[in-house]
Amino acid sequence: MAEAIIRKIRDAGIVGAGGAGFPSHVKFSAQAEVVVVNGAECEPLLRVDQQLRVLEAEKMLAGLTAAVEATGAKEGVIALKGKYREAIATLTPRLQGKPFSIYILDDFYPAGDEHLTLYESTGRLVPQGGIPIQVESVVTNVETLVNVANALEGIPVTETYLTVTGQVPNPVTVKVPVGIRLREAIALAGAADTAGMGVIDGGPMMGKLVENLDEPVTKTTKGLILLPEDHALIRKRKLSMDRITRLSQTACIQCRYCTDLCPRFLLGHELEPHKIMRALKYMEGSEDTLRMAFICSECGMCEQYACIMDLSPRTVNAYLKKSLGEKGFKPLPPPQDQAVNSRQPERKVPVKRLIARLGLTPYDKKAPLQNVDGNFKTVGILLKQHVGAASVPTVKVGQQVTKGDLIAAIPEKALGVPMHASIAGTVAAVESDRIIISEGGATS
């Protein structure tokens, strides 16, 4: 039975909907003792999972049942913030007779970090640089489990849920075809004109600045946040790496707030951002210090909340991970005696305080899930929307496809997922990085 579940998950092209897009059939192939549902959705302004927990409760639980069976787990734990009262009320009676329980999280950031979610809800501490399966656990999110339930019925991933919010007329959460243009998704919130605005793909803490609104929505697109170009979150994301480095070298006062509030440091990881910033200034004899950057989860706590000098330790860490990796450096080995810092419970940052610090209070509004008829005529489905190798096209230009048809397969002996048509139409182009499908057979 477990093999059949894994095969259906693989064939449906499911990836982790809330993160980097790790192929779900690989994750659920591991043997675990517990499956934890990460229902924290701690990034400010995003609303997808908190609504799916209520509206698609049965599917989420069906997906969790399948995940528990596939992994051989003994239990499933649904980690929710206490403020999600409607979800708790909806799920609680549905857990009767099932090996599932709800764990109530405080409303802090980043409660959704899988290391923190797992530690808070089960007490299991993932080793530095490790993953949950090392402590016989699997962590997944709400939309991923909804997709698993669909896969059991033979329905592949052709759509994704995302929140469009910020300075828009009508903040909204919608389900849209994978591959529509980002600007088309933004228009669903009434923001047809984006002049003078910046757009963040993802949450305000970890999301990336969008450079081209004609790029497609992917399976992992969870939020689009529109903010004025002069907003601090947009301005900081526009700084060049050279500017960030020079500011770090000249303005860091070694207050160590970035370290004291670092969630991974508080879990006992050997990550001290203030030392990395100091090493960046002097560079000599600092190899091991710079290698701390590999441990960073890039949650943004140091950069968006802790630093009183408005510097960018998270961006520095991301840059160092890439440059050191290219030079062949490896992460530091985990400590032998990793232990949670005694100050960890008192250094959780309340989300409301975080929202205020980010200057997002005016945008902290409901974004109700609504059905939309976008009448989307063309999609561009990227061949790589996930961790692993790009999918291999299985269709040709001019070929007719219907929604759900396989259009790209997993490369032989590679980590990956298949891709499926998200609308019915004609294959208009097979490019190096995407497949374009159009109702009329021509790109627009």
Side-chain angles (χ1 to χ4, degrees):
M1 184 62 177
E3 290 183 3
I5 292 172
I6 297 299
R7 184 173 61 254
K8 289 182 177 181
I9 292 173
R10 181 195 62 210
D11 292 346
I14 300 175
V15 300
F22 190 82
S24 296
H25 68 277
V26 177
K27 176 179 283 192
F28 294 134
S29 293
Q31 293 298 293
E33 292 185 350
V34 60
V35 175
V36 174
V37 183
N38 182 348
E41 195 162 40
C42 63
E43 275 273 19
L45 308 190
L46 303 190
R47 310 290 189 223
V48 170
D49 283 352
Q50 55 194 269
Q51 298 185 75
L52 288 182
R53 284 191 300 266
V54 176
L55 299 174
E56 297 286 6
E58 293 293 348
K59 281 191 176 181
M60 189 196 81
L61 293 177
L64 179 55
T65 299
V68 166
E69 185 167 352
T71 59
K74 300 174 183 176
E75 62 175 327
V77 178
I78 305 169
L80 302 175
K81 291 182 177 180
K83 69 177 183 180
Y84 299 143
R85 296 181 182 87
E86 187 178 6
I88 294 169
T90 299
L91 291 170
T92 298
R94 289 174 165 81
L95 303 186
Q96 300 299 321
K98 295 182 174 68
F100 304 154
S101 61
I102 293 175
Y103 182 86
I104 304 300
L105 295 163
D106 294 330
D107 188 19
F108 69 94
Y109 183 86
D113 173 86
E114 68 175 8
H115 284 219
L116 263 174
T117 305
L118 185 59
Y119 173 71
E120 294 285 338
S121 61
T122 70
R124 296 172 185 242
L125 187 60
V126 178
Q128 173 181 301
I131 57 177
I133 198 60
Q134 291 178 251
V135 288
E136 299 180 286
S137 308
V138 167
V139 180
T140 186
N141 83 336
V142 176
E143 186 178 350
T144 303
L145 293 179
V146 171
N147 287 336
V148 168
N150 287 333
L152 299 180
E153 300 176 7
I155 303 171
V157 178
T158 61
E159 297 168 313
T160 190
Y161 291 89
L162 61 91
T163 298
V164 186
T165 189
Q167 192 161 305
V168 297
N170 302 299
V172 66
T173 299
V174 292
K175 180 169 69 172
V176 298
V178 171
I180 69 167
R181 293 179 298 169
L182 295 174
R183 68 171 69 254
E184 292 179 288
I186 291 170
L188 297 175
D193 183 6
T194 59
M197 306 293 289
V199 180
I200 296 173
D201 180 356
M205 295 294 284
M206 299 182 71
K208 308 297 184 184
L209 190 65
V210 175
E211 297 182 359
N212 181 2
L213 291 176
D214 288 319
E215 282 298 293
V217 166
T218 72
K219 296 179 181 182
T220 60
T221 305
K222 292 295 112 218
L224 295 170
I225 303 174
L226 277 71
L227 296 171
E229 288 183 337
D230 61 354
H231 192 283
L233 289 175
I234 302 299
R235 286 190 289 103
K236 180 171 275 191
R237 282 171 167 82
K238 287 185 174 181
L239 292 176
S240 68
M241 195 62 227
D242 180 65
R243 175 69 172 164
I244 288 171
T245 301
R246 284 190 285 113
L247 286 172
S248 301
Q249 292 173 331
T250 58
C252 178
I253 61 174
Q254 289 293 290
C255 67
R256 70 166 287 141
Y257 287 165
C258 56
T259 293
D260 289 340
L261 289 176
C262 173
R264 291 296 173 91
F265 170 77
L266 293 170
L267 286 181
H269 294 197
E270 293 179 326
L271 172 59
E272 298 180 75
H274 77 284
K275 290 185 178 179
I276 296 175
M277 298 293 273
R278 183 172 65 203
L280 193 67
K281 182 174 183 177
Y282 296 105
M283 297 304 288
E284 296 180 2
S286 57
E287 178 183 304
D288 283 350
T289 300
L290 295 176
R291 286 167 64 202
M292 288 183 184
F294 283 112
I295 306 167
C296 177
S297 67
E298 300 183 40
C299 73
M301 181 65 75
C302 55
E303 182 166 306
Q304 309 292 9
Y305 184 87
C307 184
I308 61 176
M309 300 302 291
D310 199 29
L311 303 179
S312 306
R314 186 270 304 265
T315 305
V316 168
N317 287 348
Y319 169 76
L320 287 173
K321 279 195 282 188
K322 183 175 184 296
S323 60
L324 291 174
E326 291 173 347
K327 294 176 182 178
F329 287 97
K330 301 297 182 183
L332 295 170
Q336 296 296 316
D337 55 349
Q338 181 178 330
V340 177
N341 191 294
S342 62
R343 297 290 182 87
Q344 190 265 347
E346 66 196 50
R347 289 183 178 169
K348 298 173 183 176
V349 174
V351 171
K352 282 292 184 184
R353 185 181 299 170
L354 177 63
I355 288 173
R357 177 72 66 85
L358 296 176
L360 296 176
T361 301
Y363 310 113
D364 186 22
K365 301 176 181 179
K366 292 182 178 180
L369 179 59
Q370 297 180 4
N371 292 323
V372 297
D373 182 10
N375 195 26
F376 304 111
K377 302 293 187 182
T378 301
V379 294
I381 300 175
L382 294 179
L383 296 171
K384 182 172 170 56
Q385 306 178 31
H386 51 275
V387 172
S391 305
V392 178
T394 58
V395 292
K396 297 180 180 180
V397 174
Q399 183 173 333
Q400 296 292 313
V401 294
T402 60
K403 182 179 177 180
D405 283 353
L406 178 71
I407 60 172
I410 304 173
E412 187 176 356
K413 297 181 180 179
L415 177 67
V417 295
M419 298 295 170
H420 302 82
S422 59
I423 64 171
T426 304
V427 176
V430 178
E431 300 179 354
S432 60
D433 65 339
R434 70 193 69 192
I435 294 172
I436 298 176
I437 301 171
S438 176
E439 280 190 6
T443 58
S444 59

